[in-house]
């Protein structure tokens, strides 16, 4: 079987698995966030944190809950790292330096999981399981909660209430993420991933000599790292490490975990607004972009330019033989079109155009299908903008799902859209203008620029992957990327929740002959075009200086 055919078959198998899970998981999440019932364990949690889950919140109260919970998470994770040296199960590792502890705390709370440290050489068992893995669950649950609040904004009328943040947070963790993660961890253990609390021990090498390895609760963290579109690896090699990702089957399963909730949330959206066809349109938009990017990535990486690549059967540099070009291409696209950041190969070793595809995937806003929750609310913001553009074309006030898209709504959508480009391009410009950050670039020219552009693109879009070759463990990068992650995560949430509150307070507008039909393929095409054009106009000059210049050289 040719490597190209193997890659296509993997892609088809993945699509089939996602299709089977789409309806039951989407319907389940719709029931979870619509049910008036509370499980007994959930009531215990509410009692412990002093929350009343039946109290409805306006968008300002919902936002305060998001920000307060996340702020406590940053502080707790920062302090846990700073006292690691005194904790049991630290494996002898010292406490984390202040700038790196801040960067890591901001990263995991912001659902980014950017890592400027070597996992197996820095973090002990308590920090890994009691700190990082816990944030993998709750940061993903926060994203889903904000998405559900926006969906309620479309579904409700003449009220400013969007539900209860604490109830949405707990339900997302207990009823959605935890059960799937447990099953996912068991599957990964069956595939060969490790799950233990072993200390540091020496192992032999094939070439002679020994090296030191430590164990860990790897399979359980790997499952939620992918399922929650988090991405931080237990080991520095991330999902290229055989302890985390043993073979081709586990590789495909991990990609399934990355994509299953973001795609299924479109079904949840359709059910909750009372029109599953609306969900299918959002699904079609996300799926079209994902398939197109995956096909382009395979094409760039299988292209046989040069004698070395012809002998290897493609661009094999930086890729695992266990996964091949097809498996690595699918993983790279899926992880950068979502806010995951896990890698099973080194993105810096992709071809110039291949590296540009991963960057552009993040720069789209990670909405195809995007992160857990963040992908859905990002795509719905783009749908609001697409409806507005269509309204300008026909000269009438735009409407979406029975809600008028007026001046206030468009200002909020525009502010959402401008946050991450301002962070990415602003921080990149400062880093290139100052001598200290440039000293961290291990490669000159276009590729060196791509390393810095990729780092801030990854941070501000809450992805977490990186181009190898950038020494990011410095005070400058730890601080600025940490700020980019926090601002890129929570500023957009402010505008999303404000938009949800504005929509929920409106009266529904009856459809007329002039209403744009948003449940048809034409709107999906318009939405794809809106996403690509807006992103292209924003980032094309920067991409032309980096990956495009390198790929065309």
């Amino acid at each position: 079987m040719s490597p190209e055919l193997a890659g296509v078959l993997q892609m088809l198998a993945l699509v089939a698995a996602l299709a089977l899970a789409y309806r039951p998981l989407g319907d389940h999440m719709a029931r979870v966030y619509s049910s008036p019932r509370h499980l007994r364990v959930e009531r215990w949690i509410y009692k412990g944190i002093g929350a009343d889950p039946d109290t409805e919140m306006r968008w300002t109260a919902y936002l305060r809950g998001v920000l307060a919970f996340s702020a406590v998470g940053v502080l707790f994770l920062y302090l846990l790292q700073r006292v690691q040296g005194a904790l049991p199960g630290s494996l002898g590792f010292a406490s984390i330096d202040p700038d790196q502890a801040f960067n890591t705390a901001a990263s995991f709370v912001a659902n980014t999981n950017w890592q400027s440290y070597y996992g197996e050489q820095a973090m002990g068992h308590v920090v890994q399981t009691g700190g990082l893995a816990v944030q993998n669950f709750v940061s993903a649950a926060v994203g889903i909660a904000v998405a559900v609040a926006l969906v309620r904004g479309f579904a409700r009328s003449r009220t400013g209430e969007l539900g209860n943040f604490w109830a949405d947070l707990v339900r997302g963790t207990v009823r959605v993420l935890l059960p799937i993660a447990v099953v996912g961890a068991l599957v990964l253990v069956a595939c060969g991933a490790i799950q233990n609390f072993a200390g540091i021990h020496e192992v032999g090498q094939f070439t002679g000599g020994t090296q030191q390895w430590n164990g860990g609760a790897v399979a359980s963290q790997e499952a939620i790292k992918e399922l929650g579109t988090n991405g931080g690896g237990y080991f520095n090699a991330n999902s290229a490490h055989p302890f985390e990702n043993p073979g081709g089957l586990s590789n495909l399963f991990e990609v399934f975990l990355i994509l299953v909730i973001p795609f299924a949330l479109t079904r949840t959206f359709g059910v909750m607004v009372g029109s599953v066809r609306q969900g299918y349109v959002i699904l079609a938009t996300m799926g079209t972009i994902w398939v197109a990017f995956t096909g382009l990535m395979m094409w760039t990486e299988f292209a046989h330019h040069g004698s070395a690549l012809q002998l290897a059967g493609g661009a094999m540099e930086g890729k695992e033989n266990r996964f091949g070009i097809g498996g690595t291409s699918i993983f790279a696209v899926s992880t950068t079109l979502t806010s995951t950041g896990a890698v099973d190969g080194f993105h810096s070793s992709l071809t110039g155009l291949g590296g540009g595809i991963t960057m552009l995937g993040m720069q789209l806003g990670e909405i195809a299908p995007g992160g857990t929750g963040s992908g859905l609310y990002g795509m719905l913001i783009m749908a609001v903008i697409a409806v507005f553009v269509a309204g300008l074309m026909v000269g009438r006030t735009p409407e979406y799902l029975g809600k008028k898209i007026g001046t206030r709504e468009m200002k909020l959508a525009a502010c959402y859209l401008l946050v991450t480009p301002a962070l990415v391009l602003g921080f990149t410009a400062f880093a290139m203008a100052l001598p200290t950050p440039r000293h961290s670039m291990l490669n000159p020219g276009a590729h060196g620029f791509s390393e810095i552009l990729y780092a801030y693109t990854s941070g501000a879009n809450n992805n977490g992957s990186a181009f190898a070759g950038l020494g990011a463990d410095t005070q400058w990068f730890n601080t600025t990327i940490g700020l980019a992650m926090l601002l890129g995560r929570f500023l957009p949430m402010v505008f999303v929740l404000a938009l949800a509150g504005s929509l929920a307070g409106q009266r529904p507008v009856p459809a007329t002959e002039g209403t744009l039909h948003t449940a048809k393929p034409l709107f999906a095409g318009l939405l794809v075009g809106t996403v690509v054009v807006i992103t292209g106009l924003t980032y094309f000059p920067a991409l032309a200086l980096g990956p495009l210049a390198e790929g065309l050289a």
Side-chain angles (χ1 to χ4, degrees), residues 335-394:
T335 196
T336 50
L337 278 175
T338 61
S339 61
T340 309
V343 294
D344 71 351
F346 289 96
H347 291 185
S348 185
S349 295
L350 297 170
T351 60
L353 294 178
I357 290 170
T358 59
M359 259 188 275
L360 182 60
M362 292 184 287
Q363 290 164 354
L364 290 180
E366 297 187 313
I367 53 177
T372 47
S374 61
L376 178 61
Y377 65 66
M379 186 60 82
L380 292 178
I381 294 289
M382 294 304 302
V384 167
I385 294 173
V387 167
F388 179 76
V389 171
L392 292 178
M393 292 179 180
V394 299

Side-chain angles (χ1 to χ4, degrees), residues 141-220:
V142 167
I144 300 176
V146 173
V148 169
L150 179 59
V151 173
R152 291 190 184 118
F154 283 110
R156 296 180 177 183
S157 60
R158 288 177 286 187
T159 177
E161 296 174 343
L162 301 176
N164 185 287
F165 167 69
W166 304 107
D168 293 340
L169 172 71
V170 172
R171 289 182 178 192
T173 303
V174 173
R175 301 193 201 182
V176 178
L177 295 170
L178 190 58
I180 303 175
V182 169
V183 175
L186 293 174
V187 172
L188 289 174
V189 169
C191 289
I194 67 170
Q195 180 77 8
N196 57 56
F197 288 102
I200 297 175
H201 55 281
E202 290 192 348
V203 296
Q205 297 177 305
F206 291 113
T207 56
T210 61
Q211 66 181 114
Q212 291 187 332
W213 283 108
N214 57 277
V218 176
S220 57

Side-chain angles (χ1 to χ4, degrees), residues 358-441:
T358 59
M359 259 188 275
L360 182 60
M362 292 184 287
Q363 290 164 354
L364 290 180
E366 297 187 313
I367 53 177
T372 47
S374 61
L376 178 61
Y377 65 66
M379 186 60 82
L380 292 178
I381 294 289
M382 294 304 302
V384 167
I385 294 173
V387 167
F388 179 76
V389 171
L392 292 178
M393 292 179 180
V394 299
R396 61 173 282 124
T397 303
E399 304 162 11
Y400 186 52
L401 298 177
K403 301 296 178 71
K404 282 188 176 293
I405 308 302
T407 304
R408 174 178 169 80
E409 288 75 26
M410 277 308 302
K411 286 180 179 178
L412 293 171
C415 288
Y416 173 93
L417 200 65
L418 292 172
V419 168
T420 48
L423 293 171
V424 171
L425 300 177
F427 278 122
T428 300
F430 278 116
M432 293 302 298
L434 299 174
T436 301
R438 291 205 309 271
H439 291 160
S440 297
M441 294 165 47

Side-chain angles (χ1 to χ4, degrees), residues 78-461:
Y78 175 83
L79 293 176
L80 193 65
Q81 294 174 83
R82 294 290 292 136
V83 301
Q84 174 179 249
L87 295 175
S90 65
L91 302 178
F93 297 141
S95 298
I96 308 300
D97 292 336
D99 59 303
Q100 192 172 72
F102 163 73
N103 180 277
T104 303
S107 174
F108 278 76
V109 173
N111 199 237
T112 310
N113 291 28
W114 169 275
Q115 295 173 288
S116 61
Y117 59 89
Y118 297 96
E120 67 270 33
Q121 299 177 21
M123 302 294 184
H125 293 323
V126 174
V127 175
Q128 289 275 22
T129 57
L132 306 185
V134 168
Q135 285 302 321
N136 283 348
F137 279 97
V138 295
S139 66
V142 167
I144 300 176
V146 173
V148 169
L150 179 59
V151 173
R152 291 190 184 118
F154 283 110
R156 296 180 177 183
S157 60
R158 288 177 286 187
T159 177
E161 296 174 343
L162 301 176
N164 185 287
F165 167 69
W166 304 107
D168 293 340
L169 172 71
V170 172
R171 289 182 178 192
T173 303
V174 173
R175 301 193 201 182
V176 178
L177 295 170
L178 190 58
I180 303 175
V182 169
V183 175
L186 293 174
V187 172
L188 289 174
V189 169
C191 289
I194 67 170
Q195 180 77 8
N196 57 56
F197 288 102
I200 297 175
H201 55 281
E202 290 192 348
V203 296
Q205 297 177 305
F206 291 113
T207 56
T210 61
Q211 66 181 114
Q212 291 187 332
W213 283 108
N214 57 277
V218 176
S220 57
Q221 187 160 326
E222 189 76 10
I224 187 56
K225 131 187 167 181
E226 312 295 12
L227 181 67
T229 60
N230 298 285
Y234 208 101
F235 299 97
N236 183 53
N238 206 279
S239 293
H241 198 292
F243 288 180
E244 293 193 22
N245 192 0
L249 180 61
S250 64
N251 189 68
L252 203 59
F253 179 68
E254 289 185 13
V255 178
F256 171 81
L257 289 177
I258 290 172
L259 299 175
V260 66
I261 288 181
F263 274 131
L265 275 171
T266 63
R267 172 77 182 186
T268 305
F269 161 68
V271 172
M272 291 183 70
V273 299
S275 174
V276 294
R277 294 179 63 187
Q278 297 287 350
Y280 289 143
V281 168
I282 301 298
L283 172 67
T285 304
M286 292 176 171
T288 298
I289 296 173
W290 180 80
V291 169
F293 271 57
T294 304
L296 284 172
M297 179 65 80
M298 287 190 182
W299 174 74
T300 61
E301 299 304 305
F302 276 122
H304 299 173
H305 300 303
S307 57
L309 297 184
Q310 289 177 1
L311 291 172
M316 283 300 297
E317 179 189 347
K319 297 181 179 66
E320 277 285 335
N321 285 322
R322 292 175 294 144
F323 312 136
I325 291 177
T328 301
S329 297
I330 295 171
F331 203 109
V333 169
S334 299
T335 196
T336 50
L337 278 175
T338 61
S339 61
T340 309
V343 294
D344 71 351
F346 289 96
H347 291 185
S348 185
S349 295
L350 297 170
T351 60
L353 294 178
I357 290 170
T358 59
M359 259 188 275
L360 182 60
M362 292 184 287
Q363 290 164 354
L364 290 180
E366 297 187 313
I367 53 177
T372 47
S374 61
L376 178 61
Y377 65 66
M379 186 60 82
L380 292 178
I381 294 289
M382 294 304 302
V384 167
I385 294 173
V387 167
F388 179 76
V389 171
L392 292 178
M393 292 179 180
V394 299
R396 61 173 282 124
T397 303
E399 304 162 11
Y400 186 52
L401 298 177
K403 301 296 178 71
K404 282 188 176 293
I405 308 302
T407 304
R408 174 178 169 80
E409 288 75 26
M410 277 308 302
K411 286 180 179 178
L412 293 171
C415 288
Y416 173 93
L417 200 65
L418 292 172
V419 168
T420 48
L423 293 171
V424 171
L425 300 177
F427 278 122
T428 300
F430 278 116
M432 293 302 298
L434 299 174
T436 301
R438 291 205 309 271
H439 291 160
S440 297
M441 294 165 47
L442 303 184
N443 295 285
H447 193 80
F449 174 75
S450 294
E451 291 171 358
I452 289 183
L453 177 62
Y454 192 107
Y456 287 112
T457 298
S458 177
N461 286 283

